[in-house]
Amino acid sequence: MNPFEPLTRRVALSSWRAFLPKVASYAGSRNHVQAGHENVSRLGACIRFRTLLEDEIIEDTLNQYTFQVAQKWLQEICWRRYWRAWLETRPHVWRRWRQQVRSSRQALPPQTLARAEAVSAGRSGVACMDKIARELIETGYLHNHSRMWWASFWIHVEQLPWELGADFFFRHLLDADPASNTLSWRWVAGLQTPGKSYLVRLSNIEKYAPGYLRGNETGSERLDDGVVSVRSPLEVANFARSPLVEYPTSLFQATGRRGLWLHTDDFLPEIGPLADLAPASVAAYLSERVYKTIYDLSPQRISSLRAVTQDGLDRAAAHYACPAVVVEAEDPVLGLGAWAKDEGLAEVVAFAPLIGPVHDILSRLKLHFAKLNVRLTLIRRPSDVTAFSFATAGFFPFWEKMSRHLNPPH
Ligand SMILES: Cc1cc2nc3c(=O)[nH]c(=O)nc-3n(C[C@H](O)[C@H](O)[C@H](O)COP(=O)(O)OP(=O)(O)OC[C@H]3O[C@@H](n4cnc5c(N)ncnc54)[C@H](O)[C@@H]3O)c2cc1C
């Protein structure tokens, strides 16, 4: 999949069909970083915004392969839901990260900020790491191994705050996912799994990216095996877990005129529990203020958000045979409120937002809708409820339950 292609459903489906035959070789080839990245799916953005469902991928995979052959692929597909479930029950981790990004920009010494700027612009002086930074800025995509190496370089070699590195990824990655990004950075830093950090090593880069990242040796002595050591984390880990918020998985009878609010956590309403909704109107917000002022997203990120939003609305308009509009608003809460009022809605239905930017507007939106006498009904996909219920400990206990669910004993 070309990272510049808009993340439409059509592109997602054709990319997935093209990748399906490669699932059999995925386990053996996924760690290699090569030009074009054709050994991996590059479906992250489609799955993150749900122009393609994990459920569809799992079903197609198991129709074509045995569980054993596809196990590594399925495990990776399930990682996102594990991370999401983890963050759903620790929303403070997301809030604290956003707060730290803002305060670091104001409080860090100017020379630290200047170094962070240089390293993220691909001017660190370590040629292979600079190539990764430039690839991210130019394409909005990085292979998993490049993400791991570069994050480790930022934290343990450059000794820069992980929060700013994670923010650089969040601003540029077209698949930027609040859970996968924040928690993977924390894992590299040694904050996610106590006692475990991820250290970049030159021999590992040589093994997995010999043609792609080697060639220019400038600065590579800083990555020599044995040279990089763990930078002790400054943060005291806080794993306090709040209960998972429960949402219904199906709709109740409508009591008045209904609208559908589509957002970036799920752009596939025509498949699943909202398929029979019959809304009078559909809306999704786009907010330059949120994207630029709050998150400072790259122009590529903003245009891909616009494309995926428009595609979701176009499909919704065709499926429900009703108007589907973009709400361009400085303040998404006021914009959605004005839409609900203009449409005379008694109820707005949406997929329950996950912890992240959309969830951040939720409490204000609920209050605003209550003032306008509009009920907000949030629905969760049954398969998300099942997956989230398995995520009560680490990934491997989660995967054990998940694999029994996907491949029940006969
Ligand atoms: C520091 C760091 C930051 C990351 N930030 C993000 C992010 O913002 N958004 C994001 O989607 N992923 C993130 N990841 C996870 C992973 O790197 C990407 O999901 C993957 O590289 C996407 O490329 P792909 O679709 O070609 O992957 P493939 O190898 O083809 O995998 C297929 C799918 O499986 C899932 N997946 C694979 N590996 C992982 C993983 N380690 N964690 C979670 N899901 C995974 C993704 O949905 C991916 O699209 C991050 C990893 C690291 C180390």
Side-chain angles (χ1 to χ4, degrees):
M1 178 176 175
N2 174 351
F4 291 117
E5 272 190 282
L7 312 170
T8 61
R9 169 83 172 152
R10 189 186 55 76
V11 170
L13 285 174
S14 70
S15 306
W16 168 225
R17 278 187 214 111
F19 190 73
L20 187 54
K22 297 184 189 167
V23 163
S25 56
Y26 178 81
S29 69
R30 72 175 284 268
N31 281 333
H32 294 269
V33 187
Q34 14 183 278
H37 305 297
E38 287 184 6
N39 54 323
V40 286
S41 71
R42 288 152 290 146
L43 285 170
C46 305
I47 307 171
R48 184 265 176 264
F49 295 110
R50 290 213 155 144
T51 52
L52 182 66
L53 298 174
E54 283 107 326
D55 300 344
E56 297 178 286
I57 294 179
I58 291 169
E59 189 183 335
D60 292 347
T61 301
L62 290 174
N63 279 340
Q64 186 148 334
Y65 300 99
T66 63
F67 182 81
Q68 278 64 31
V69 167
Q71 183 159 356
K72 184 68 191 164
W73 166 250
L74 294 172
Q75 197 180 68
E76 294 304 330
I77 290 296
C78 291
W79 259 105
R80 183 188 303 278
R81 272 175 163 162
Y82 171 75
W83 281 141
R84 284 181 163 178
W86 198 96
L87 199 61
E88 282 301 293
T89 50
R90 283 107 176 154
H92 60 277
V93 170
W94 162 259
R95 284 198 291 268
R96 192 179 145 84
W97 172 54
R98 291 312 305 164
Q99 210 176 28
Q100 289 289 114
V101 171
R102 285 190 295 274
S103 60
S104 300
R105 289 215 183 101
Q106 280 153 15
L108 283 174
Q111 60 272 29
T112 309
L113 289 172
R115 184 65 191 162
E117 193 60 40
V119 175
S120 44
R123 287 186 276 105
S124 75
V126 179
C128 58
M129 293 296 119
D130 290 344
K131 181 169 176 179
I132 295 176
R134 285 196 299 271
E135 181 181 5
L136 173 56
I137 293 168
E138 283 159 22
T139 69
Y141 176 81
L142 287 179
H143 183 282
N144 181 56
H145 236 148
S146 295
R147 298 182 201 212
M148 289 160 61
W149 293 326
W150 199 86
S152 179
F153 170 66
W154 176 278
I155 296 167
H156 301 295
V157 180
E158 287 289 340
Q159 309 237 326
L160 289 164
W162 74 268
E163 292 91 342
L164 288 188
D167 187 54
F168 171 58
F169 271 26
F170 197 77
R171 282 163 38 221
H172 289 274
L173 279 173
L174 298 188
D175 64 18
D177 180 312
S180 293
N181 190 53
T182 317
L183 304 180
S184 299
W185 272 86
R186 287 171 58 84
W187 169 74
V188 173
L191 292 166
Q192 194 60 22
T193 314
K196 275 196 191 162
S197 309
Y198 177 77
L199 292 185
V200 54
R201 281 181 297 121
L202 201 55
S203 60
N204 193 248
I205 299 177
E206 247 152 23
K207 180 172 175 192
Y208 289 110
Y212 194 61
L213 288 178
R214 305 312 313 279
N216 181 346
E217 299 304 311
T218 310
S220 63
E221 65 284 353
R222 295 182 66 203
L223 309 178
D224 273 342
D225 293 26
V227 167
V228 183
S229 59
V230 176
R231 181 201 186 197
S232 43
L234 303 170
E235 185 191 322
V236 178
N238 174 1
F239 293 115
R241 190 172 187 271
S242 21
L244 188 66
V245 178
E246 287 183 19
Y247 294 99
T249 53
S250 58
L251 282 166
F252 304 107
Q253 197 67 32
T255 50
R257 208 170 140 82
R258 260 177 174 165
L260 169 64
W261 166 37
L262 275 188
H263 56 72
T264 48
D265 288 338
D266 200 317
F267 274 121
L268 211 45
E270 67 269 35
I271 299 180
L274 302 186
D276 297 328
L277 183 68
S281 176
V282 182
Y285 72 80
L286 284 170
S287 169
E288 291 280 317
R289 188 183 67 86
V290 172
Y291 300 153
K292 285 194 180 146
T293 316
I294 302 184
Y295 291 101
D296 190 21
L297 302 184
S298 72
Q300 267 185 60
R301 265 273 263 146
I302 296 178
S303 59
S304 87
L305 282 170
R306 284 191 170 275
V308 75
T309 302
Q310 193 56 58
D311 178 62
L313 288 170
D314 291 346
R315 279 181 287 102
H319 178 77
Y320 298 115
C322 74
V325 295
V326 172
V327 171
E328 296 261 5
E330 274 271 298
D331 181 343
V333 168
L334 298 182
L336 289 169
W339 160 72
K341 207 164 155 243
D342 291 350
E343 289 290 341
L345 303 176
E347 183 186 13
V348 169
V349 177
F351 284 115
L354 297 159
I355 298 302
V358 182
H359 191 278
D360 285 348
I361 69 161
L362 199 56
S363 44
R364 273 187 62 230
L365 185 66
K366 278 182 187 161
L367 282 175
H368 189 59
F369 274 5
K371 267 195 237 154
L372 299 174
N373 227 358
V374 175
R375 190 146 59 90
L376 180 62
T377 303
L378 300 175
I379 300 289
R380 184 148 275 166
R381 288 184 185 273
S383 54
D384 282 340
V385 172
T386 304
F388 288 5
S389 76
F390 295 157
T392 49
F395 178 77
F396 290 99
F398 162 83
W399 176 244
E400 218 178 287
K401 291 179 201 157
M402 192 52 139
S403 44
R404 255 184 276 127
H405 174 70
L406 300 179
N407 183 38
H410 296 294

